[in-house]
Amino acid sequence: MSRYLPRHWYYCIRAARIAVLGFLETLSNMDLTKGSSARLHCKPTMGDVSWTMNDSPLSTTSPSIEITSVGQDDEGLYKCQATFQGESIYSSARITVSDTGITQHPEDMTVQSGEHVTLTCTTNTDSSFKWYMNKNEVSSGVESTAKQSVMVTSPLTLRSRLQCVVSTGEEKTYFSKIGVINVIGFKTVPQDKGLPVDGEVSLLCSVGGHGLKQLVWLRSPDAKEVPSSWMESYSTGYTTSNVLTTSEVGTYYCSATFEQGYTIESERAAVTPVRVTMSSKSVALGDDVILTCIVTGAIKADL
């Protein structure tokens, strides 16, 4: 009986990056009292931004606009348009202005992952309050009086949108502006790796949060910045990842700097030399064989 070696198939797969036009932040309806202020957010994944109010163009291309000292002239339909390579998407919201209602809205904040946030919602008339986080009603951490409500969140690890909804004795309902909580922190931290002789290893670092200015790799003990030619970076709009490929031993970590003044550093990862020795044996075709793999070095988890 003849024996045949098994056939093996090999596939070559080329990775492709797909760019998707969408909104990371969209507009929402809100009720403002005269003299108050609010910020409207419209953050696309890419492309150019333009604004209109009641179909009249506004002279800004920023992903957010701030309305201060609100008056009756600020009432209307606001529309944000994002355009990229001939494709356009829209987000719109209606703003109403009145004498009574919410006078203090939830504020936008930037916090580090794991921190609590305290938000306040105040009215100029007796009211009952409800809080919503990412469109889900919040039942804990809320203390309210007749004209004010304070919410303390649980520790946050993801970007969150919080809104206060007010009901008055006149059976009127008012919607606050949405407070956007920008949570910054590392999603993936580098892990210890063993470096084979004449080989190289890759380390991954991912950070989440808007306003990232710089994500770099450093090497201890002198905190020397690693050359950019060793790195490949990619972003999804909210999360940015950086892959470091190195053939040098050392202790590596990444540092992220944000527009809001935060600088955070990841945990350290040690790249240490290892030597892999594999035993060899001669066997007859079809017989079982046991091979021994010997690893010399501090790191063995990669096998």
Side-chain angles (χ1 to χ4, degrees), residues 113-273:
S113 181
E115 292 184 348
H116 300 265
V117 170
T118 301
L119 298 170
T120 302
C121 184
T122 304
T123 65
N124 57 9
T125 184
D126 289 351
S127 310
S128 60
F129 299 85
K130 288 185 178 180
W131 284 91
Y132 292 85
M133 177 184 290
N134 301 325
K135 298 183 178 181
N136 297 314
E137 185 175 352
V138 178
S139 57
S140 61
V142 177
E143 292 187 3
S144 302
T145 61
K147 294 184 179 180
Q148 187 178 80
S149 182
V150 177
M151 184 184 72
V152 180
T153 69
S154 57
L156 298 177
T157 58
L158 297 173
R159 178 178 61 91
S160 300
R161 294 161 56 89
L162 295 108
Q163 187 174 38
C164 169
V165 178
V166 172
S167 300
T168 69
E170 300 174 353
E171 297 184 353
K172 290 184 178 180
T173 301
Y174 299 95
F175 296 85
S176 76
K177 69 169 282 293
I178 291 178
V180 178
I181 311 303
N182 179 29
V183 180
I184 63 173
F186 288 102
K187 305 297 183 182
T188 307
V189 296
Q191 303 295 314
D192 295 344
K193 291 288 184 74
L195 179 66
V197 176
D198 298 325
E200 59 184 21
V201 295
S202 294
L203 303 175
L204 172 63
C205 180
S206 298
V207 65
H210 291 312
L212 178 67
K213 292 176 59 179
Q214 187 179 44
L215 178 61
V216 297
W217 283 92
L218 303 172
R219 183 163 59 177
S220 295
D222 54 359
K224 183 178 180 180
E225 188 169 331
V226 175
S228 59
S229 58
W230 297 9
M231 297 177 286
E232 182 178 3
S233 182
Y234 52 94
S235 175
T236 62
Y238 183 72
T239 300
T240 299
S241 300
N242 199 311
V243 179
L244 168 68
T245 302
T246 180
S247 58
E248 298 184 8
V249 299
T251 300
Y252 296 85
Y253 62 100
C254 48
S255 174
T257 303
F258 290 83
E259 294 174 354
Q260 297 84 355
Y262 286 92
T263 297
I264 56 177
E265 295 181 350
S266 73
E267 298 175 5
R268 271 55 172 171
V271 175
T272 54

Side-chain angles (χ1 to χ4, degrees), residues 4 6 26-27 42 49 60 81 85 90 98 127 131 141 144 152 173 178 203 224 241 245 253 278 285 302:
Y4 298 91
T26 57
L27 302 179
C42 174
V49 174
T60 180
Q81 174 180 318
Q85 295 184 348
Y90 302 87
S98 60
S127 310
W131 284 91
S144 302
V152 180
T173 301
I178 291 178
L203 303 175
K224 183 178 180 180
S241 300
T245 302
Y253 62 100
M278 180 73 74
L285 186 65
D302 293 346

Side-chain angles (χ1 to χ4, degrees), residues 7-63:
R7 179 177 294 173
H8 297 277
W9 295 93
Y10 297 90
Y11 298 88
C12 179
I13 301 175
R14 181 182 179 184
R17 294 183 183 179
I18 300 176
V20 179
L21 179 60
F23 283 115
L24 299 171
E25 294 288 349
T26 57
L27 302 179
S28 62
N29 296 338
M30 66 178 74
D31 301 296
L32 303 177
T33 53
K34 292 178 181 179
S36 64
S37 62
R39 182 179 292 273
L40 282 68
H41 294 277
C42 174
K43 185 174 179 62
T45 54
M46 63 191 72
D48 300 319
V49 174
S50 60
W51 291 82
T52 61
M53 175 193 171
N54 297 330
D55 295 326
S56 297
L58 298 177
S59 59
T60 180
T61 57
S62 171

